[in-house]
Amino acid sequence: TNPGKDYDILCKIVVIGDSGVGKTSLLQRFAEQHFSDTHITTIGVDFKLRTIQVGNVRVKLQVWDTAGQEKFRVITKTYYRNAAGIIVAYDVTNGESFANTKRWIEEVKNNCGDDGVPIVLVGNKCDSENKCVTYNDQEEYAKLMKLKFFETSAKENINVDEVFVELTKLILDRQ
Ligand code: GDP
Ligand code: MG
């Protein structure tokens, strides 16, 4: 514990994945249901803060969002610097975004080293009627990649907090 502070540890989390999968929406859903959030915008980068409690540790999450540069696949190395955990998001109504997670995971390995950082896979828009990536597809893929996955809906607030709690647990397990 850390008396005099409102948190015990600070973790940088980055959210990546194809454009349009709902990264910014997930982050907004996560951060804005708490009063303790802060919004800071600079050129090209953007993050929000929210403190969660996991066990008896208060973890301040600094969650980074791209400013749309993923469209051009030119996310800079600085975006990944000192990341403690990564969310790789795709859209369950868009098979291509699911297939592209392989490239995003590659990119994490290139930027964060091989023993790397914890990654959680997130299949967003599970509320949609146009779902085309099945639960089984995701489950098999996650197993193959040895990663955890969640189906989420930023829109309906399904599993969003769970993603961040799980990733934080994976981060804490390493410390
Ligand atoms: P980003 O480019 O990955 O940051 O994606 P955005 O957060 O900007 O979202 C792209 C589009 O998907 C927007 O029109 C959102 O309203 C929509 N969207 C985001 N999350 C969800 C969701 O959980 N369900 C549905 N149905 N639509 C979503
Ligand atoms: Mg965005």
Side-chain angles (χ1 to χ4, degrees):
T1 54
N2 201 340
K5 268 197 177 167
D6 62 353
Y7 64 94
D8 302 308
I9 64 166
L10 175 70
C11 293
K12 175 179 174 180
I13 289 179
V14 309
V15 186
I16 55 173
D18 281 7
S19 181
V21 301
K23 299 180 299 298
T24 301
S25 303
L26 283 165
L27 186 45
Q28 252 159 18
R29 170 62 80 183
F30 175 67
E32 271 156 28
Q33 54 195 21
H34 254 240
F35 55 86
S36 61
D37 71 300
T38 308
H39 187 102
I40 300 169
T41 307
T42 54
I43 298 165
V45 292
D46 187 19
F47 65 81
K48 289 178 195 285
L49 297 167
R50 179 174 158 192
T51 302
I52 61 171
Q53 176 128 9
V54 174
N56 51 16
V57 188
R58 295 164 306 170
V59 186
K60 187 169 205 154
L61 299 179
Q62 184 194 60
V63 191
W64 289 54
D65 189 17
T66 64
Q69 66 269 42
E70 74 277 19
K71 234 174 269 182
F72 312 103
R73 303 196 56 82
V74 287
I75 294 181
T76 56
K77 238 184 158 65
T78 41
Y79 186 68
Y80 294 97
R81 188 173 296 150
N82 297 322
I86 315 266
I87 291 171
V88 176
Y90 54 96
D91 170 356
V92 295
T93 72
N94 176 345
E96 196 185 339
S97 73
F98 179 55
N100 280 341
T101 57
K102 223 173 192 128
R103 298 171 58 180
W104 287 112
I105 292 166
E106 254 334 282
E107 179 149 316
V108 171
K109 286 181 179 155
N110 291 337
N111 284 285
C112 302
D114 276 330
D115 41 281
V117 295
I119 299 174
V120 173
L121 286 166
V122 171
N124 190 42
K125 308 195 190 181
C126 72
D127 61 274
S128 173
E129 287 173 3
N130 305 320
K131 186 173 167 182
C132 66
V133 183
T134 68
Y135 192 86
N136 268 1
D137 289 345
Q138 298 170 72
E139 195 172 41
E140 251 173 52
Y141 176 65
K143 203 171 165 187
L144 186 75
M145 303 301 281
K146 298 191 171 66
L147 297 173
K148 295 217 166 158
F149 85 98
F150 290 84
E151 274 193 347
T152 63
S153 168
K155 186 177 179 186
E156 304 288 342
N157 197 14
I158 299 166
N159 264 346
V160 178
D161 283 5
E162 284 79 355
V163 166
F164 287 91
V165 169
E166 180 59 35
L167 185 55
T168 303
K169 281 183 184 163
L170 293 174
I171 293 167
L172 292 176
D173 282 349
R174 300 191 143 210
Q175 295 182 341

